[in-house]
Amino acid sequence: MVFIFGVNFHEQKLVKKALESFYALGPQTSERILAKYYIHPRAKIGTLPPKTLTALTAELSTMTIEGDARRIIQDNIKRLRDMGTYRGRRHAMGLPVRGQRTKNQTETAKKLNRIERRG
Amino acid sequence: MSAPNCLRGLVRPSATIPISAPRSAAPRAAPIGLARPAPFSTTALNARRQDPNQQGGGGKGHVRQGKKLKLGKFKKTAVESKGKPPLPGERRAYRKRITLSNDNAIPVPWLKDIGADGLANAQNIARVLALPEEVQDQLRASEAFKPTQCWGMFRKPSLLVRKESVDLMNRIQTSVDNKQTLRLVVTGDKVTGKSMMLLQAQAHAFLNNWIVIHVPEGQELTTACTEYAPIPNTDPVQYMQPVYILKLLQSIKRANEKILAKTYTMTGHPELPQNITPNTPLLALCNAAKEPDSAWPVFQALWNELTAHGTAANRPPILLSLDGLAHVMRVSDYRSPAFERIHSHDLALVRLFTDTLGGAVQFPAGGAVLAATSRNNAPRSPSMELSLAQREAEQAKREEVPQKDPFFRGYDDRVEAVLRSVQVIRLGGVSKLEARALMEYWAASGMLRATVDEKAVTEKWTLAGSGVLGEMERAALLTMRI
């Protein structure tokens, strides 16, 4: 088991997937991080030398990921809500925000649209 | 298309696979309540699900078949156990395994081993010769055999000596005699025996005590599936592939053990982890690489020793070969820190090969650089295709040499520079005489159960698109290479 940015990963996990497991870090960013540290896209975490692991952790700690990224989104929603906009209200009600129908298929909205948004 | 499903289609219907019975065969006196249409299902599992007699409740009429859509929030975990999963690497090892003999095949009494001159001798054209045990081990170590070739059907691995192979060996032999380096690309259609030509060249080299360095798949170097790292103090930056090079060093060591033990270093190599003094066997130099970190310096030291000039008397000839040329003639999948794709020729090992193929490096005691194109999973490389076509036209002294398309951007100058002066051998089908020799060998091994006469040979030869070897195997040996 290897720690990256305080998270424990299995040695057989792909480095790319491990990086993408962080919130607000997608395929584009992870590819660039891999290239920056000369890690080939099919590398597994177990093969990385400790130096690279610490470098990765240092790199991630400079980025806006996980809690910071979540807070930015929540702040944006809160701002809409405080201004009393329609979008803010729809978020508070857990309903679709962009004019979708609400008779059916609003599961995603129910799951995601709230003031303290989780994901 | 998935292979197991295709194969299942060819399996003879047996008792384990339920097939729908024809109506006439159904019992006429069956009670009305039990009468039902024949189950339409292809697998035993589905058939069991469909069969209402086996249902637990009995009373329930409607049972949903197939995959059920789950609407609930929480997914149930699958409880169906599938047995022990294969260990990491096990499936790959099974897929890539190479069987070189079949004890059930009949030994062929007239089969002779290849001698040192066997493949260069024109008298051996259209003869099948066996590989000696020792060469088999060496070829196996250098990964010359491929899992797609059907070695596993015969008692002993044997080769058909073709006109082209004698031609190639003679060219190599001539260049070695003149202490020159032959630079040659083997190309041709699918399954015409390009990799086999490389194997024959390697066998010839091993039989004559040359050093062989073989890169079995060009794609392993450039599809970004092995570690890479920049080499310090290079401009423009070059990249080494430490893990691959360590593997290559070990295979070089295993394949050329005897010759390397008899060849000695000219200079000392204090920069290596293990201090190498002058007059150390090259085998010891190879052994200095224990870790991927030290692999590239050791490989470079070995290469410098092998290509050191002024030492022609005690350096053996060298054969450097690579299969799957198109993969190393393109921009690789690796990325630089600036997120630009790295050109394959900036990878140090590939550069070493292409420099030699381009003529920048000459072996002190002569030798050959061979490359084979591949028609399986090969990327398009317009420059390579054009250059090979041009070289071929020039060699045949044709009037019209193909020219660049002025409206196409995808050409690569670096590739063209490498292939500017190589020789090209194009492989096609074998002659009927060679086809006959091969079929006689198959028949003598018990793998072809037919009389080998003019008619049978012509039939298979024609079926195989005028004697394309792989197609002949497919037609005659019924090898289903999937």
Side-chain angles (χ1 to χ4, degrees):
Chain A
M1 299 300 254
V2 182
F3 278 96
I4 294 179
F5 199 52
V7 181
N8 211 350
F9 291 106
H10 193 263
E11 285 182 0
Q12 283 296 316
K13 197 171 181 73
L14 289 175
V15 182
K16 192 167 188 305
K17 290 288 164 193
L19 290 180
E20 284 169 20
S21 69
F22 294 106
Y23 185 80
L25 203 163
Q28 304 266 328
T29 328
S30 72
E31 266 174 19
R32 281 176 184 270
I33 294 176
L34 291 186
K36 188 171 174 187
Y37 293 100
Y38 303 109
I39 305 166
H40 66 281
R42 279 177 246 180
K44 306 238 167 118
I45 285 193
T47 63
L48 294 185
K51 210 176 84 189
T52 316
L53 288 172
T54 46
L56 277 181
T57 306
E59 171 83 24
L60 293 183
S61 60
T62 62
M63 296 171 65
T64 319
I65 52 169
E66 284 291 314
D68 296 345
R70 283 211 175 83
R71 201 165 312 116
I72 288 174
I73 293 206
Q74 286 171 4
D75 287 352
N76 288 346
I77 296 172
K78 219 169 263 163
R79 181 177 58 85
L80 293 172
R81 167 81 181 132
D82 293 346
M83 285 192 300
T85 57
Y86 178 73
R87 277 171 67 198
R89 266 188 284 143
R90 297 296 278 184
H91 267 110
M93 289 190 284
L95 287 168
V97 173
R98 298 183 182 179
Q100 296 98 322
R101 61 162 55 206
T102 51
K103 185 178 175 190
N104 291 317
Q105 298 188 346
T106 53
E107 285 303 311
T108 313
K110 269 190 220 162
K111 193 169 72 185
L112 295 176
N113 292 356
R114 47 186 78 178
I115 297 288
E116 290 290 320
R117 180 172 170 146
R118 286 172 300 147
Chain B
M1 208 189 314
S2 76
N5 284 341
C6 303
L7 280 180
R8 197 178 296 145
L10 299 174
V11 165
R12 197 171 288 172
S14 66
T16 53
I17 299 177
I19 44 165
S20 56
R23 291 241 158 152
S24 58
R28 273 188 206 156
I32 294 164
L34 286 178
R36 60 189 175 86
F40 182 78
S41 64
T42 46
T43 62
L45 190 69
N46 284 343
R48 201 171 62 238
R49 267 198 213 133
Q50 279 188 346
D51 197 346
N53 292 338
Q54 290 179 6
Q55 272 175 19
K60 277 188 181 176
H62 180 72
V63 177
R64 277 186 82 116
Q65 289 161 12
K67 207 174 172 187
K68 284 178 189 168
L69 187 65
K70 280 180 188 143
L71 292 168
K73 247 183 186 174
F74 303 105
K75 287 177 185 164
K76 279 180 197 166
T77 48
V79 280
E80 198 177 329
S81 94
K82 287 175 181 164
K84 201 178 138 204
L87 295 169
E90 200 175 328
R91 279 178 294 198
R92 184 185 160 86
Y94 183 73
R95 207 169 65 234
K96 300 278 174 192
R97 83 203 180 283
I98 284 159
T99 322
L100 287 187
S101 73
N102 172 13
D103 286 346
N104 294 325
I106 305 165
V108 183
W110 41 263
L111 197 63
K112 281 188 198 145
D113 279 1
I114 307 177
D117 189 31
L119 286 167
N121 191 346
Q123 284 179 341
N124 282 335
I125 292 180
R127 268 191 207 163
V128 177
L129 298 174
L131 288 168
E133 291 279 335
E134 198 185 344
V135 177
Q136 281 176 34
D137 294 341
Q138 286 176 310
L139 288 173
R140 196 192 265 275
S142 72
E143 293 183 52
F145 299 110
K146 295 206 161 192
T148 46
Q149 299 161 345
C150 54
W151 302 103
M153 298 182 88
F154 303 98
R155 175 65 69 126
K156 243 186 132 176
S158 327
L159 304 170
L160 169 72
V161 184
R162 303 168 60 166
K163 196 161 91 331
E164 290 90 346
S165 37
V166 171
D167 175 30
L168 174 65
M169 299 317 146
N170 279 327
R171 286 198 212 185
I172 298 178
Q173 198 61 53
T174 318
S175 61
V176 167
D177 293 344
N178 298 333
K179 300 213 182 305
Q180 283 171 344
T181 308
L182 175 78
R183 297 175 286 120
L184 186 137
V185 176
V186 182
T187 186
D189 287 333
K190 214 173 171 181
V191 291
T192 44
K194 300 178 289 293
S195 302
M196 195 63 93
M197 199 56 81
L198 285 193
L199 186 141
Q200 295 193 354
Q202 287 177 60
H204 184 75
F206 284 129
L207 286 164
N208 287 289
N209 292 327
W210 303 351
I211 286 178
V212 175
I213 300 174
H214 179 58
V215 179
E217 285 285 353
Q219 63 173 333
E220 286 176 11
L221 290 169
T222 58
T223 49
C225 55
T226 177
E227 268 85 356
Y228 72 118
I231 302 175
N233 308 326
T234 45
D235 184 43
V237 186
Q238 287 185 40
Y239 298 86
M240 58 180 166
Q241 289 156 305
V243 174
Y244 187 88
I245 290 188
L246 183 66
K247 203 189 98 201
L248 183 68
L249 266 177
Q250 281 164 351
S251 79
I252 292 172
K253 196 180 74 187
R254 262 181 288 132
N256 305 296
E257 209 152 11
K258 273 187 190 166
I259 317 156
L260 288 176
K262 281 190 283 184
T263 319
Y264 297 93
T265 52
M266 292 290 298
T267 51
H269 295 279
E271 76 281 6
L272 298 182
Q274 202 174 328
N275 190 9
I276 303 285
T277 51
N279 276 336
T280 316
L282 289 185
L283 194 64
L285 178 63
C286 288
N287 280 330
K290 297 269 194 296
E291 294 284 317
D293 294 340
S294 59
W296 174 249
V298 168
F299 186 79
Q300 214 174 16
L302 177 71
W303 181 253
N304 288 341
E305 285 293 339
L306 286 175
T307 55
H309 277 273
T311 57
N314 50 14
R315 287 281 177 265
I318 300 167
L319 175 74
L320 178 64
S321 55
L322 178 139
D323 206 345
L325 184 67
H327 276 283
V328 299
M329 291 295 172
R330 63 174 192 123
V331 179
S332 77
D333 293 341
Y334 288 107
R335 299 265 185 187
S336 68
F339 204 60
E340 280 152 0
R341 288 172 73 191
I342 299 169
H343 195 283
S344 292
H345 295 189
D346 286 335
L347 301 169
L349 183 59
V350 175
R351 170 172 289 217
L352 193 135
F353 179 81
T354 50
D355 278 355
T356 322
L357 189 66
V361 181
Q362 293 286 328
F363 297 135
V369 196
L370 300 184
T373 57
S374 173
R375 288 285 179 275
N376 287 326
N377 188 27
R380 280 288 318 278
S381 174
S383 285
M384 188 192 82
E385 287 161 22
L386 178 75
S387 299
L388 292 184
Q390 284 175 339
R391 295 302 89 74
E392 237 182 316
E394 285 163 13
Q395 281 168 30
K397 300 206 169 56
R398 266 180 237 144
E399 293 278 305
E400 277 188 21
V401 175
Q403 294 301 323
K404 270 188 182 178
D405 176 2
F407 299 104
F408 181 64
R409 280 197 306 186
Y411 293 117
D412 190 342
D413 292 340
R414 299 175 80 172
V415 171
E416 278 160 31
V418 167
L419 298 173
R420 195 150 287 151
S421 58
V422 293
Q423 298 182 31
V424 178
I425 284 189
R426 179 169 284 277
L427 293 183
V430 293
S431 69
K432 277 194 193 166
L433 201 65
E434 288 160 349
R436 182 172 189 129
L438 192 65
M439 285 179 68
E440 274 168 0
Y441 168 68
W442 290 344
S445 301
M447 286 298 138
L448 177 69
R449 298 174 73 182
T451 328
V452 180
D453 52 10
E454 197 64 43
K455 190 170 159 251
V457 172
T458 311
E459 182 196 323
K460 299 297 179 214
W461 186 85
T462 314
L463 269 179
S466 342
V468 172
L469 276 178
E471 300 291 347
M472 273 187 64
E473 272 174 18
R474 242 177 243 175
L477 296 181
L478 302 177
T479 53
M480 286 189 60
R481 289 190 288 168
I482 297 163

